[in-house]
Amino acid sequence: IKAEGRNGYRFFDVTMQQEAQKRWQLEEGLYKAVERNQLEIWIQPQVSNEYVITGAEVLLRWRHPEKGMISPMDFISVAEESGQISAIEEWVLEESLSLLSRWQATNLPSTFRHLSINISPSHFMQADFIQRMLPILERYPVPGINIEFEITENLLINNFKQAIETMQVLQEKGISFSIDDFGTGYSSLRYLNQLPINVLKIDRSFVSGIANLDDDAPIIDVILLMAKKLNLEVIAEGVETQIQHQFLAQRECSLYQGYYFSKPMHHRDFFNLLMQDNGV
Ligand code: C2E
Ligand code: CA
Ligand code: CA
Ligand code: CA
């Protein structure tokens, strides 16, 4: 038993070492990725019950020369730990504004309201977040109303006051906020009322529970009712089937994001889709 234990430990140790090496390689690669333009903006439509595109989420992709496309699931946490996330998300904001200003030179459908950008908690809570983001916003002729920031509930645990202040400054510029992955993190009913939030994004895990035995229907009911009372919009994330869409539509959900409507696509393809008929 003792020998087995030792072997087990050694095995664990080796994989830990491999993991550490993999992360280090990702971290090194990520520095080059920014310099060498390997990061790409992909976009997933957000649609109404009438299949009109009312907004869209910006999702990062890393086109690695040897490894192919790398998912943000694999590199965002690395970027957060290494401190690269701020520079990366400043780039994302810059690119998004640049896209919006080019798009607005065409006849963008008036039903399209904004691009939603994910902001990492570690970035959002940095002391110079505002000082660094505002000049980027001011560099482009894009109204703040065309930008939404997605933040998570966990952001609010540590420094509620600072979070509110940051949000208020940006709100004055027209920027709106949504709570991402709603229902999965630290939830306090109080913050919903105190923060300048406009949208709750129901996490995919609740949506995929629809029509299963472990039905998440009551939770979705409660979120929709609460949002209505608090005058918040709701987006259901990760809608994959017609059954899920129907279920949500019957409960007066009005906005959706998911493979059933459209997968994320390169920003060029998104623009073409938007200009075609503004529907998916
Ligand atoms: P998220 O913010 O929850 O984004 C939604 C994710 O769900 C995306 O994964 C999207 O492709 C996926 N998705 C959308 N509809 C469906 C569906 O119907 N079924 C399934 N199974 N998945 C669906 P993606 O693009 O791989 O991004 C993963 C996560 O990476 C994002 O989750 C977000 O947390 C993070 N991420 C991406 N870009 C950024 C960024 O610029 N900054 C930060 N901080 N995080 C980012
Ligand atoms: Ca998001
Ligand atoms: Ca989400
Ligand atoms: Ca999620």
Side-chain angles (χ1 to χ4, degrees), residues 49 182-183 189 192 199-203 206-207 210 216-237 239 244-256:
N49 275 309
F182 183 74
L189 292 179
L192 284 180
V199 180
L200 301 180
K201 298 189 79 177
I202 303 184
D203 189 67
F206 299 117
V207 175
I210 292 171
D216 279 327
I219 296 177
I220 291 180
D221 278 338
V222 169
I223 295 177
L224 287 170
L225 186 70
M226 190 178 65
K228 197 174 180 176
K229 294 273 182 199
L230 294 173
N231 219 354
L232 298 170
E233 268 188 321
V234 174
I235 297 185
E237 279 196 286
V239 179
Q244 290 167 350
H245 175 215
Q246 272 170 357
F247 174 96
L248 290 155
Q250 275 161 10
R251 283 160 176 78
E252 292 180 63
C253 185
S254 55
L255 293 171
Y256 309 88

Side-chain angles (χ1 to χ4, degrees), residues 44 57 60-61 72 89 118 180-181 204 238-240 258-259 264:
Q44 185 178 32
E57 179 172 2
L60 259 178
R61 297 288 181 269
E89 288 181 345
N118 290 287
D180 202 1
D181 306 334
R204 181 168 85 226
V239 179
E240 292 182 345
Y259 294 171

Side-chain angles (χ1 to χ4, degrees), residues 1 15 28 33 50 65 76 98 115 131 140 143 157 163 188 201 207 211 220 251 259 267 278:
I1 290 169
T15 50
E28 284 300 297
E50 294 75 36
I76 290 292
S98 159
L115 282 179
Q131 286 99 299
Y140 291 85
I157 300 176
S188 160
K201 298 189 79 177
V207 175
I220 291 180
R251 283 160 176 78
Y259 294 171
H267 62 75
N278 191 24

Side-chain angles (χ1 to χ4, degrees), residues 11 17 116 140 145 179 189 197 250 255 261:
F11 173 70
Q17 212 179 328
S116 303
Y140 291 85
I145 197 159
I179 302 287
L189 292 179
I197 305 166
Q250 275 161 10
L255 293 171
F261 299 95

